[in-house]
Amino acid sequence: MSFELGLRCRDCGKTFPTQPLSGCDECFAPLEVYYDLEAIQRAVTREQLASRPFHMWRYREFLPVPTQGEAASHQRLPVGGTPLLKADRLAKVLGVRELYIKNDAVNFPTLSFKDRVVAIALSKAREFGYDTVACSSTGNLANAVAAQAAALGFRAFLFTPADLEPAKIANSLVYGAHLVKFSGNYDQVNRLSTEIAQKYPWGIVNVNLRPYYAEGSKTVGFEIAEQLNWSLPGTIVCPMAGGSLIGKIARAFDELRTLGWAAGETRICGAQATGCSPISTAVKNGTSDIEPQRPNTIARSLAIGNPADGFYASKLIRESGGYAEDVSDPEIVEAMQLLASTEGVFAETAGGVTLASARKLIDQGRVDRERPIVLVITGNGLKTLDAIVGAQTEAPVLAPRMRELEAWLDSQGVAAGEPVSASA
Ligand SMILES: *Cc1c(COP(=O)(O)O)cnc(C)c1O
Ligand SMILES: [Zn+2]
């Protein structure tokens, strides 16, 4: 059993039965899964939910997946359930009272929030009878599809721009997936995968499975609310590529408000790299009309020049009382180092975008400094090492002798002293 009722057009409201489908046949707008929220309310309580294992499937009633029985068992890779860290040291630097980091840099299995969306897409691919799955990707999505396809027994084809970070290529190939690089940007690769969907009987996670895929992102919002003891933060700052994640976090908060499970208004704020900022530009211009851009930034995971959900993201941000900012490549690198050195969290370039943008928004007075602020960290720094190696000071190489080490410590102004005794 499941609580999804089908697909609904985000513009004209036309409904469709559950099926692999990406857009409305009347107006070409994106489709969204809709649910019987009243039935969910009757079926499960917050307390029951809290007794389940802490991963994304604990919110299964709010997802387009089987909630019981044989069919529910194949989808149980323990994805999600990531930490919400109270970031007091970083809060002090930013001059805010209560700051949290939602750390999807440690998501299972491939260290980005894309593991969540793929978990739903592959559950749906199995339900629809596909044996092959595919995606167009800026890197993290390919990693997540490759790993989960391997674990669940699908064949996988991954299509990416040729200039991806080496770690993101290796982290797809290791799982035995078929990866093809194209000499173009993401938007060109994505257009191609829309054509592929019409010719091959594949479940393409961000084309014909996209409405289902997107639902996985809601679990970031559910987890944040639950980890804040079912209160909603004053502000959330979220990185944007296609603009889907930010909208689904807001949707999760809406569903919790509708059920009376959580209360409070949240300013939804978006973050982009200046080198690819179609959504933040629209927000600053007070419009939802997206002007496509040609991306040029080290934040490759966010380099989507023509974002599929950009219109809705801009609208949502402005209606929530939030705002959007964008930051330069040097600001991204500096923020990656700040996050790591204050909180011990090594995020990828997208995390640098989020923190540097949050800093600007706070300085501009667009964030309520007195209420809780959540930064959504979506990917792991080990996948974008090339972004920071040039920015770091070289580690010294010494001969393994005390004399050498002492000379170096002395040059750093570090003096020797009495060892601390255990029985003091
Ligand atoms: C894909 C991605 C995003 C943005 O996701 P959208 O839903 O396309 O806006 C953010 N951060 C990272 C690391 C990503 O890989
Ligand atoms: Zn429509």
Side-chain angles (χ1 to χ4, degrees), residues 111-114 117 138-141 168 210 213 217 238-247 272 279 301-302 304 307 309 348-351 354 376-380:
L111 310 178
S112 90
F113 97 91
K114 292 294 199 308
V117 289
T138 57
N140 284 319
L141 182 60
K168 286 184 180 161
R210 186 172 177 89
Y213 146 107
S217 291
C238 180
M240 303 184 292
S244 174
L245 172 63
I246 193 168
Q272 293 204 293
I279 308 177
S301 59
L302 304 181
I304 297 183
D309 294 297
E348 71 151 76
T349 45
T354 302
V376 183
I377 297 302
T378 48
N380 194 296

PDB file of all heavy atoms in Angstrom, residues 111-114 117 138-141 168 210 213 217 238-247 272 279 301-302 304 307 309 348-351 354 376-380, ligand 1:
ATOM      1  N   LEU A 111      27.900   9.898  -0.369  1.00  0.00           N
ATOM      2  CA  LEU A 111      28.353  11.157   0.216  1.00  0.00           C
ATOM      3  C   LEU A 111      27.781  12.413  -0.424  1.00  0.00           C
ATOM      4  O   LEU A 111      28.443  13.449  -0.491  1.00  0.00           O
ATOM      5  CB  LEU A 111      29.895  11.229   0.235  1.00  0.00           C
ATOM      6  CG  LEU A 111      30.618  10.015   0.833  1.00  0.00           C
ATOM      7  CD1 LEU A 111      32.132  10.198   0.756  1.00  0.00           C
ATOM      8  CD2 LEU A 111      30.185   9.763   2.268  1.00  0.00           C
ATOM      9  N   SER A 112      26.528  12.349  -0.878  1.00  0.00           N
ATOM     10  CA  SER A 112      25.827  13.580  -1.260  1.00  0.00           C
ATOM     11  C   SER A 112      24.326  13.360  -1.096  1.00  0.00           C
ATOM     12  O   SER A 112      23.858  12.219  -0.981  1.00  0.00           O
ATOM     13  CB  SER A 112      26.135  14.000  -2.700  1.00  0.00           C
ATOM     14  OG  SER A 112      25.212  13.421  -3.605  1.00  0.00           O
ATOM     15  N   PHE A 113      23.561  14.469  -1.086  1.00  0.00           N
ATOM     16  CA  PHE A 113      22.107  14.332  -0.910  1.00  0.00           C
ATOM     17  C   PHE A 113      21.469  13.612  -2.087  1.00  0.00           C
ATOM     18  O   PHE A 113      20.335  13.138  -1.992  1.00  0.00           O
ATOM     19  CB  PHE A 113      21.470  15.715  -0.685  1.00  0.00           C
ATOM     20  CG  PHE A 113      20.885  16.324  -1.924  1.00  0.00           C
ATOM     21  CD1 PHE A 113      19.551  16.108  -2.256  1.00  0.00           C
ATOM     22  CD2 PHE A 113      21.653  17.098  -2.771  1.00  0.00           C
ATOM     23  CE1 PHE A 113      19.012  16.650  -3.408  1.00  0.00           C
ATOM     24  CE2 PHE A 113      21.116  17.642  -3.930  1.00  0.00           C
ATOM     25  CZ  PHE A 113      19.795  17.417  -4.250  1.00  0.00           C
ATOM     26  N   LYS A 114      22.182  13.474  -3.219  1.00  0.00           N
ATOM     27  CA  LYS A 114      21.617  12.780  -4.375  1.00  0.00           C
ATOM     28  C   LYS A 114      21.302  11.302  -4.082  1.00  0.00           C
ATOM     29  O   LYS A 114      20.517  10.688  -4.796  1.00  0.00           O
ATOM     30  CB  LYS A 114      22.563  12.871  -5.570  1.00  0.00           C
ATOM     31  CG  LYS A 114      22.727  14.273  -6.165  1.00  0.00           C
ATOM     32  CD  LYS A 114      21.437  14.796  -6.794  1.00  0.00           C
ATOM     33  CE  LYS A 114      21.647  15.942  -7.766  1.00  0.00           C
ATOM     34  NZ  LYS A 114      22.431  17.076  -7.273  1.00  0.00           N
ATOM     35  N   VAL A 117      17.453  11.103  -3.628  1.00  0.00           N
ATOM     36  CA  VAL A 117      16.573  11.160  -4.799  1.00  0.00           C
ATOM     37  C   VAL A 117      16.679   9.862  -5.600  1.00  0.00           C
ATOM     38  O   VAL A 117      15.675   9.358  -6.121  1.00  0.00           O
ATOM     39  CB  VAL A 117      16.876  12.401  -5.679  1.00  0.00           C
ATOM     40  CG1 VAL A 117      16.417  13.659  -4.988  1.00  0.00           C
ATOM     41  CG2 VAL A 117      18.343  12.508  -6.071  1.00  0.00           C
ATOM     42  N   THR A 138      25.754  16.263 -13.235  1.00  0.00           N
ATOM     43  CA  THR A 138      26.942  17.090 -13.006  1.00  0.00           C
ATOM     44  C   THR A 138      27.906  16.379 -12.053  1.00  0.00           C
ATOM     45  O   THR A 138      28.840  16.987 -11.562  1.00  0.00           O
ATOM     46  CB  THR A 138      26.556  18.465 -12.416  1.00  0.00           C
ATOM     47  OG1 THR A 138      25.814  18.247 -11.209  1.00  0.00           O
ATOM     48  CG2 THR A 138      25.709  19.278 -13.375  1.00  0.00           C
ATOM     49  N   GLY A 139      27.664  15.097 -11.754  1.00  0.00           N
ATOM     50  CA  GLY A 139      28.630  14.298 -10.997  1.00  0.00           C
ATOM     51  C   GLY A 139      28.026  13.509  -9.855  1.00  0.00           C
ATOM     52  O   GLY A 139      28.091  12.283  -9.827  1.00  0.00           O
ATOM     53  N   ASN A 140      27.429  14.193  -8.890  1.00  0.00           N
ATOM     54  CA  ASN A 140      26.918  13.485  -7.723  1.00  0.00           C
ATOM     55  C   ASN A 140      25.767  12.546  -8.057  1.00  0.00           C
ATOM     56  O   ASN A 140      25.654  11.460  -7.484  1.00  0.00           O
ATOM     57  CB  ASN A 140      26.469  14.479  -6.655  1.00  0.00           C
ATOM     58  CG  ASN A 140      27.634  15.092  -5.912  1.00  0.00           C
ATOM     59  OD1 ASN A 140      28.596  14.400  -5.573  1.00  0.00           O
ATOM     60  ND2 ASN A 140      27.564  16.393  -5.658  1.00  0.00           N
ATOM     61  N   LEU A 141      24.906  12.964  -8.965  1.00  0.00           N
ATOM     62  CA  LEU A 141      23.790  12.093  -9.334  1.00  0.00           C
ATOM     63  C   LEU A 141      24.306  10.817  -9.993  1.00  0.00           C
ATOM     64  O   LEU A 141      23.824   9.715  -9.704  1.00  0.00           O
ATOM     65  CB  LEU A 141      22.829  12.837 -10.268  1.00  0.00           C
ATOM     66  CG  LEU A 141      21.591  12.036 -10.681  1.00  0.00           C
ATOM     67  CD1 LEU A 141      20.755  11.641  -9.478  1.00  0.00           C
ATOM     68  CD2 LEU A 141      20.743  12.834 -11.682  1.00  0.00           C
ATOM     69  N   LYS A 168      34.742  12.449  -9.220  1.00  0.00           N
ATOM     70  CA  LYS A 168      33.345  12.113  -9.514  1.00  0.00           C
ATOM     71  C   LYS A 168      33.256  11.106 -10.665  1.00  0.00           C
ATOM     72  O   LYS A 168      32.324  10.300 -10.710  1.00  0.00           O
ATOM     73  CB  LYS A 168      32.544  13.383  -9.788  1.00  0.00           C
ATOM     74  CG  LYS A 168      32.273  14.139  -8.480  1.00  0.00           C
ATOM     75  CD  LYS A 168      31.407  15.353  -8.640  1.00  0.00           C
ATOM     76  CE  LYS A 168      31.220  16.008  -7.262  1.00  0.00           C
ATOM     77  NZ  LYS A 168      30.787  17.396  -7.342  1.00  0.00           N
ATOM     78  N   ARG A 210      11.607  11.785 -13.100  1.00  0.00           N
ATOM     79  CA  ARG A 210      11.912  13.002 -12.352  1.00  0.00           C
ATOM     80  C   ARG A 210      10.900  13.370 -11.259  1.00  0.00           C
ATOM     81  O   ARG A 210      11.297  13.768 -10.153  1.00  0.00           O
ATOM     82  CB  ARG A 210      12.094  14.202 -13.306  1.00  0.00           C
ATOM     83  CG  ARG A 210      12.567  15.458 -12.565  1.00  0.00           C
ATOM     84  CD  ARG A 210      12.936  16.600 -13.503  1.00  0.00           C
ATOM     85  NE  ARG A 210      13.304  17.786 -12.759  1.00  0.00           N
ATOM     86  CZ  ARG A 210      14.542  18.065 -12.341  1.00  0.00           C
ATOM     87  NH1 ARG A 210      15.530  17.243 -12.621  1.00  0.00           N
ATOM     88  NH2 ARG A 210      14.790  19.156 -11.643  1.00  0.00           N
ATOM     89  N   TYR A 213      11.812  11.015  -8.368  1.00  0.00           N
ATOM     90  CA  TYR A 213      13.158  11.372  -7.933  1.00  0.00           C
ATOM     91  C   TYR A 213      13.103  12.589  -7.004  1.00  0.00           C
ATOM     92  O   TYR A 213      13.636  12.587  -5.894  1.00  0.00           O
ATOM     93  CB  TYR A 213      13.981  11.624  -9.201  1.00  0.00           C
ATOM     94  CG  TYR A 213      15.059  12.673  -9.240  1.00  0.00           C
ATOM     95  CD1 TYR A 213      16.405  12.296  -9.237  1.00  0.00           C
ATOM     96  CD2 TYR A 213      14.757  14.026  -9.367  1.00  0.00           C
ATOM     97  CE1 TYR A 213      17.392  13.258  -9.328  1.00  0.00           C
ATOM     98  CE2 TYR A 213      15.742  14.986  -9.463  1.00  0.00           C
ATOM     99  CZ  TYR A 213      17.060  14.596  -9.425  1.00  0.00           C
ATOM    100  OH  TYR A 213      18.039  15.542  -9.507  1.00  0.00           O
ATOM    101  N   SER A 217      14.056  14.403  -2.056  1.00  0.00           N
ATOM    102  CA  SER A 217      14.617  15.589  -1.399  1.00  0.00           C
ATOM    103  C   SER A 217      13.766  16.061  -0.217  1.00  0.00           C
ATOM    104  O   SER A 217      14.268  16.768   0.652  1.00  0.00           O
ATOM    105  CB  SER A 217      14.745  16.736  -2.406  1.00  0.00           C
ATOM    106  OG  SER A 217      15.738  16.449  -3.364  1.00  0.00           O
ATOM    107  N   CYS A 238      19.996  27.055   1.136  1.00  0.00           N
ATOM    108  CA  CYS A 238      20.109  25.826   0.350  1.00  0.00           C
ATOM    109  C   CYS A 238      20.770  26.111  -1.000  1.00  0.00           C
ATOM    110  O   CYS A 238      20.390  27.070  -1.677  1.00  0.00           O
ATOM    111  CB  CYS A 238      18.692  25.286   0.145  1.00  0.00           C
ATOM    112  SG  CYS A 238      18.622  23.774  -0.810  1.00  0.00           S
ATOM    113  N   PRO A 239      21.738  25.290  -1.411  1.00  0.00           N
ATOM    114  CA  PRO A 239      22.340  25.492  -2.739  1.00  0.00           C
ATOM    115  C   PRO A 239      21.355  25.089  -3.835  1.00  0.00           C
ATOM    116  O   PRO A 239      20.514  24.216  -3.632  1.00  0.00           O
ATOM    117  CB  PRO A 239      23.541  24.540  -2.722  1.00  0.00           C
ATOM    118  CG  PRO A 239      23.156  23.447  -1.778  1.00  0.00           C
ATOM    119  CD  PRO A 239      22.264  24.085  -0.739  1.00  0.00           C
ATOM    120  N   MET A 240      21.481  25.738  -4.979  1.00  0.00           N
ATOM    121  CA  MET A 240      20.537  25.477  -6.076  1.00  0.00           C
ATOM    122  C   MET A 240      21.292  25.148  -7.364  1.00  0.00           C
ATOM    123  O   MET A 240      22.203  25.872  -7.764  1.00  0.00           O
ATOM    124  CB  MET A 240      19.656  26.705  -6.323  1.00  0.00           C
ATOM    125  CG  MET A 240      18.886  27.169  -5.095  1.00  0.00           C
ATOM    126  SD  MET A 240      17.777  28.560  -5.442  1.00  0.00           S
ATOM    127  CE  MET A 240      18.921  29.885  -5.790  1.00  0.00           C
ATOM    128  N   ALA A 241      20.868  24.070  -8.013  1.00  0.00           N
ATOM    129  CA  ALA A 241      21.339  23.748  -9.368  1.00  0.00           C
ATOM    130  C   ALA A 241      20.113  23.828 -10.279  1.00  0.00           C
ATOM    131  O   ALA A 241      19.819  24.862 -10.857  1.00  0.00           O
ATOM    132  CB  ALA A 241      22.001  22.379  -9.392  1.00  0.00           C
ATOM    133  N   GLY A 242      19.338  22.716 -10.341  1.00  0.00           N
ATOM    134  CA  GLY A 242      18.082  22.754 -11.080  1.00  0.00           C
ATOM    135  C   GLY A 242      16.967  23.445 -10.302  1.00  0.00           C
ATOM    136  O   GLY A 242      15.914  23.756 -10.857  1.00  0.00           O
ATOM    137  N   GLY A 243      17.175  23.638  -9.000  1.00  0.00           N
ATOM    138  CA  GLY A 243      16.177  24.304  -8.163  1.00  0.00           C
ATOM    139  C   GLY A 243      15.152  23.363  -7.560  1.00  0.00           C
ATOM    140  O   GLY A 243      14.139  23.813  -7.019  1.00  0.00           O
ATOM    141  N   SER A 244      15.432  22.068  -7.598  1.00  0.00           N
ATOM    142  CA  SER A 244      14.472  21.091  -7.091  1.00  0.00           C
ATOM    143  C   SER A 244      14.563  20.922  -5.576  1.00  0.00           C
ATOM    144  O   SER A 244      13.556  21.009  -4.862  1.00  0.00           O
ATOM    145  CB  SER A 244      14.704  19.751  -7.782  1.00  0.00           C
ATOM    146  OG  SER A 244      13.898  18.750  -7.223  1.00  0.00           O
ATOM    147  N   LEU A 245      15.770  20.711  -5.052  1.00  0.00           N
ATOM    148  CA  LEU A 245      15.954  20.455  -3.619  1.00  0.00           C
ATOM    149  C   LEU A 245      15.306  21.538  -2.749  1.00  0.00           C
ATOM    150  O   LEU A 245      14.574  21.247  -1.808  1.00  0.00           O
ATOM    151  CB  LEU A 245      17.456  20.353  -3.295  1.00  0.00           C
ATOM    152  CG  LEU A 245      17.828  20.282  -1.814  1.00  0.00           C
ATOM    153  CD1 LEU A 245      17.267  19.039  -1.147  1.00  0.00           C
ATOM    154  CD2 LEU A 245      19.351  20.327  -1.637  1.00  0.00           C
ATOM    155  N   ILE A 246      15.560  22.783  -3.074  1.00  0.00           N
ATOM    156  CA  ILE A 246      15.057  23.881  -2.239  1.00  0.00           C
ATOM    157  C   ILE A 246      13.521  23.860  -2.181  1.00  0.00           C
ATOM    158  O   ILE A 246      12.922  24.055  -1.120  1.00  0.00           O
ATOM    159  CB  ILE A 246      15.607  25.242  -2.747  1.00  0.00           C
ATOM    160  CG1 ILE A 246      15.353  26.337  -1.715  1.00  0.00           C
ATOM    161  CG2 ILE A 246      15.027  25.629  -4.102  1.00  0.00           C
ATOM    162  CD1 ILE A 246      16.118  27.638  -2.018  1.00  0.00           C
ATOM    163  N   GLY A 247      12.905  23.551  -3.320  1.00  0.00           N
ATOM    164  CA  GLY A 247      11.445  23.500  -3.357  1.00  0.00           C
ATOM    165  C   GLY A 247      10.891  22.342  -2.559  1.00  0.00           C
ATOM    166  O   GLY A 247       9.816  22.450  -1.946  1.00  0.00           O
ATOM    167  N   GLN A 272      23.857  30.295  -5.023  1.00  0.00           N
ATOM    168  CA  GLN A 272      24.448  29.858  -6.290  1.00  0.00           C
ATOM    169  C   GLN A 272      25.860  30.426  -6.431  1.00  0.00           C
ATOM    170  O   GLN A 272      26.263  31.321  -5.682  1.00  0.00           O
ATOM    171  CB  GLN A 272      23.585  30.317  -7.475  1.00  0.00           C
ATOM    172  CG  GLN A 272      22.221  29.629  -7.512  1.00  0.00           C
ATOM    173  CD  GLN A 272      21.615  29.591  -8.906  1.00  0.00           C
ATOM    174  OE1 GLN A 272      21.260  30.618  -9.450  1.00  0.00           O
ATOM    175  NE2 GLN A 272      21.510  28.379  -9.468  1.00  0.00           N
ATOM    176  N   ILE A 279      19.126  31.524 -11.128  1.00  0.00           N
ATOM    177  CA  ILE A 279      18.007  31.632 -10.181  1.00  0.00           C
ATOM    178  C   ILE A 279      18.217  32.812  -9.235  1.00  0.00           C
ATOM    179  O   ILE A 279      17.296  33.611  -9.009  1.00  0.00           O
ATOM    180  CB  ILE A 279      17.790  30.323  -9.383  1.00  0.00           C
ATOM    181  CG1 ILE A 279      17.688  29.118 -10.339  1.00  0.00           C
ATOM    182  CG2 ILE A 279      16.527  30.425  -8.532  1.00  0.00           C
ATOM    183  CD1 ILE A 279      17.550  27.767  -9.641  1.00  0.00           C
ATOM    184  N   SER A 301      28.935  20.942  -9.540  1.00  0.00           N
ATOM    185  CA  SER A 301      27.688  20.237  -9.203  1.00  0.00           C
ATOM    186  C   SER A 301      26.482  21.172  -9.298  1.00  0.00           C
ATOM    187  O   SER A 301      25.353  20.711  -9.379  1.00  0.00           O
ATOM    188  CB  SER A 301      27.774  19.635  -7.803  1.00  0.00           C
ATOM    189  OG  SER A 301      28.007  20.642  -6.838  1.00  0.00           O
ATOM    190  N   LEU A 302      26.729  22.488  -9.291  1.00  0.00           N
ATOM    191  CA  LEU A 302      25.612  23.445  -9.374  1.00  0.00           C
ATOM    192  C   LEU A 302      25.534  24.111 -10.749  1.00  0.00           C
ATOM    193  O   LEU A 302      24.732  25.027 -10.950  1.00  0.00           O
ATOM    194  CB  LEU A 302      25.767  24.541  -8.300  1.00  0.00           C
ATOM    195  CG  LEU A 302      25.882  24.065  -6.850  1.00  0.00           C
ATOM    196  CD1 LEU A 302      26.015  25.256  -5.908  1.00  0.00           C
ATOM    197  CD2 LEU A 302      24.678  23.212  -6.454  1.00  0.00           C
ATOM    198  N   ILE A 304      24.173  24.331 -13.655  1.00  0.00           N
ATOM    199  CA  ILE A 304      23.053  24.132 -14.573  1.00  0.00           C
ATOM    200  C   ILE A 304      22.579  25.519 -15.007  1.00  0.00           C
ATOM    201  O   ILE A 304      22.052  26.285 -14.198  1.00  0.00           O
ATOM    202  CB  ILE A 304      21.915  23.324 -13.909  1.00  0.00           C
ATOM    203  CG1 ILE A 304      22.431  21.924 -13.542  1.00  0.00           C
ATOM    204  CG2 ILE A 304      20.705  23.240 -14.833  1.00  0.00           C
ATOM    205  CD1 ILE A 304      21.385  20.993 -12.952  1.00  0.00           C
ATOM    206  N   PRO A 307      17.898  25.984 -15.420  1.00  0.00           N
ATOM    207  CA  PRO A 307      17.363  25.121 -14.359  1.00  0.00           C
ATOM    208  C   PRO A 307      15.880  24.779 -14.550  1.00  0.00           C
ATOM    209  O   PRO A 307      15.044  25.672 -14.679  1.00  0.00           O
ATOM    210  CB  PRO A 307      17.561  25.960 -13.088  1.00  0.00           C
ATOM    211  CG  PRO A 307      17.658  27.373 -13.565  1.00  0.00           C
ATOM    212  CD  PRO A 307      18.223  27.338 -14.947  1.00  0.00           C
ATOM    213  N   ASP A 309      13.599  23.687 -12.542  1.00  0.00           N
ATOM    214  CA  ASP A 309      12.657  24.174 -11.533  1.00  0.00           C
ATOM    215  C   ASP A 309      12.980  25.596 -11.084  1.00  0.00           C
ATOM    216  O   ASP A 309      12.536  26.023 -10.013  1.00  0.00           O
ATOM    217  CB  ASP A 309      12.652  23.221 -10.333  1.00  0.00           C
ATOM    218  CG  ASP A 309      12.105  21.849 -10.713  1.00  0.00           C
ATOM    219  OD1 ASP A 309      10.931  21.775 -11.098  1.00  0.00           O
ATOM    220  OD2 ASP A 309      12.856  20.861 -10.661  1.00  0.00           O
ATOM    221  N   GLU A 348      31.995  19.880  -0.218  1.00  0.00           N
ATOM    222  CA  GLU A 348      32.447  20.166  -1.585  1.00  0.00           C
ATOM    223  C   GLU A 348      32.169  21.639  -1.928  1.00  0.00           C
ATOM    224  O   GLU A 348      31.653  22.409  -1.103  1.00  0.00           O
ATOM    225  CB  GLU A 348      31.772  19.232  -2.577  1.00  0.00           C
ATOM    226  CG  GLU A 348      30.293  19.491  -2.809  1.00  0.00           C
ATOM    227  CD  GLU A 348      29.855  19.067  -4.220  1.00  0.00           C
ATOM    228  OE1 GLU A 348      29.696  17.860  -4.478  1.00  0.00           O
ATOM    229  OE2 GLU A 348      29.664  19.966  -5.070  1.00  0.00           O
ATOM    230  N   THR A 349      32.507  22.011  -3.140  1.00  0.00           N
ATOM    231  CA  THR A 349      32.326  23.389  -3.587  1.00  0.00           C
ATOM    232  C   THR A 349      30.906  23.914  -3.326  1.00  0.00           C
ATOM    233  O   THR A 349      30.743  25.075  -2.949  1.00  0.00           O
ATOM    234  CB  THR A 349      32.641  23.488  -5.089  1.00  0.00           C
ATOM    235  OG1 THR A 349      32.011  22.396  -5.763  1.00  0.00           O
ATOM    236  CG2 THR A 349      34.141  23.422  -5.349  1.00  0.00           C
ATOM    237  N   ALA A 350      29.900  23.072  -3.509  1.00  0.00           N
ATOM    238  CA  ALA A 350      28.517  23.515  -3.278  1.00  0.00           C
ATOM    239  C   ALA A 350      28.330  23.974  -1.830  1.00  0.00           C
ATOM    240  O   ALA A 350      27.556  24.904  -1.562  1.00  0.00           O
ATOM    241  CB  ALA A 350      27.531  22.398  -3.616  1.00  0.00           C
ATOM    242  N   GLY A 351      29.041  23.340  -0.889  1.00  0.00           N
ATOM    243  CA  GLY A 351      28.968  23.749   0.511  1.00  0.00           C
ATOM    244  C   GLY A 351      29.601  25.115   0.717  1.00  0.00           C
ATOM    245  O   GLY A 351      29.124  25.923   1.516  1.00  0.00           O
ATOM    246  N   THR A 354      27.081  27.610  -0.330  1.00  0.00           N
ATOM    247  CA  THR A 354      26.028  27.799   0.674  1.00  0.00           C
ATOM    248  C   THR A 354      26.504  28.689   1.809  1.00  0.00           C
ATOM    249  O   THR A 354      25.815  29.650   2.192  1.00  0.00           O
ATOM    250  CB  THR A 354      25.573  26.429   1.223  1.00  0.00           C
ATOM    251  OG1 THR A 354      25.124  25.638   0.121  1.00  0.00           O
ATOM    252  CG2 THR A 354      24.466  26.573   2.239  1.00  0.00           C
ATOM    253  N   VAL A 376      22.227  23.980   4.496  1.00  0.00           N
ATOM    254  CA  VAL A 376      22.121  22.637   3.920  1.00  0.00           C
ATOM    255  C   VAL A 376      23.417  22.324   3.173  1.00  0.00           C
ATOM    256  O   VAL A 376      23.712  22.922   2.144  1.00  0.00           O
ATOM    257  CB  VAL A 376      20.910  22.533   2.971  1.00  0.00           C
ATOM    258  CG1 VAL A 376      20.784  21.112   2.433  1.00  0.00           C
ATOM    259  CG2 VAL A 376      19.636  22.951   3.689  1.00  0.00           C
ATOM    260  N   ILE A 377      24.191  21.406   3.740  1.00  0.00           N
ATOM    261  CA  ILE A 377      25.463  20.982   3.127  1.00  0.00           C
ATOM    262  C   ILE A 377      25.184  19.685   2.366  1.00  0.00           C
ATOM    263  O   ILE A 377      24.781  18.683   2.956  1.00  0.00           O
ATOM    264  CB  ILE A 377      26.543  20.795   4.217  1.00  0.00           C
ATOM    265  CG1 ILE A 377      26.805  22.138   4.910  1.00  0.00           C
ATOM    266  CG2 ILE A 377      27.816  20.209   3.618  1.00  0.00           C
ATOM    267  CD1 ILE A 377      27.257  23.269   4.000  1.00  0.00           C
ATOM    268  N   THR A 378      25.415  19.727   1.058  1.00  0.00           N
ATOM    269  CA  THR A 378      24.860  18.678   0.190  1.00  0.00           C
ATOM    270  C   THR A 378      25.875  17.682  -0.359  1.00  0.00           C
ATOM    271  O   THR A 378      25.488  16.655  -0.918  1.00  0.00           O
ATOM    272  CB  THR A 378      24.134  19.329  -0.995  1.00  0.00           C
ATOM    273  OG1 THR A 378      25.000  20.344  -1.543  1.00  0.00           O
ATOM    274  CG2 THR A 378      22.824  19.957  -0.572  1.00  0.00           C
ATOM    275  N   GLY A 379      27.184  17.995  -0.265  1.00  0.00           N
ATOM    276  CA  GLY A 379      28.154  17.079  -0.880  1.00  0.00           C
ATOM    277  C   GLY A 379      29.506  17.145  -0.176  1.00  0.00           C
ATOM    278  O   GLY A 379      29.788  18.068   0.585  1.00  0.00           O
ATOM    279  N   ASN A 380      30.359  16.169  -0.453  1.00  0.00           N
ATOM    280  CA  ASN A 380      31.594  15.944   0.297  1.00  0.00           C
ATOM    281  C   ASN A 380      32.829  16.519  -0.386  1.00  0.00           C
ATOM    282  O   ASN A 380      33.036  16.331  -1.584  1.00  0.00           O
ATOM    283  CB  ASN A 380      31.765  14.434   0.487  1.00  0.00           C
ATOM    284  CG  ASN A 380      32.800  14.104   1.522  1.00  0.00           C
ATOM    285  OD1 ASN A 380      33.973  14.417   1.352  1.00  0.00           O
ATOM    286  ND2 ASN A 380      32.381  13.496   2.608  1.00  0.00           N
TER     287      ASN A 380
HETATM  288  C1  LIG B   1      22.489  18.398  -7.397  1.00  0.00           C
HETATM  289  C2  LIG B   1      23.130  19.134  -6.295  1.00  0.00           C
HETATM  290  C3  LIG B   1      22.528  20.263  -5.703  1.00  0.00           C
HETATM  291  C4  LIG B   1      21.283  20.964  -6.198  1.00  0.00           C
HETATM  292  O1  LIG B   1      20.223  20.214  -6.524  1.00  0.00           O
HETATM  293  P1  LIG B   1      18.946  20.748  -7.348  1.00  0.00           P
HETATM  294  O2  LIG B   1      17.873  19.949  -6.761  1.00  0.00           O
HETATM  295  O3  LIG B   1      19.236  20.413  -8.786  1.00  0.00           O
HETATM  296  O4  LIG B   1      18.812  22.224  -7.136  1.00  0.00           O
HETATM  297  C5  LIG B   1      23.153  20.835  -4.604  1.00  0.00           C
HETATM  298  N1  LIG B   1      24.317  20.363  -4.131  1.00  0.00           N
HETATM  299  C6  LIG B   1      24.931  19.298  -4.675  1.00  0.00           C
HETATM  300  C7  LIG B   1      26.230  18.853  -4.098  1.00  0.00           C
HETATM  301  C8  LIG B   1      24.358  18.639  -5.763  1.00  0.00           C
HETATM  302  O5  LIG B   1      24.982  17.582  -6.286  1.00  0.00           O
END
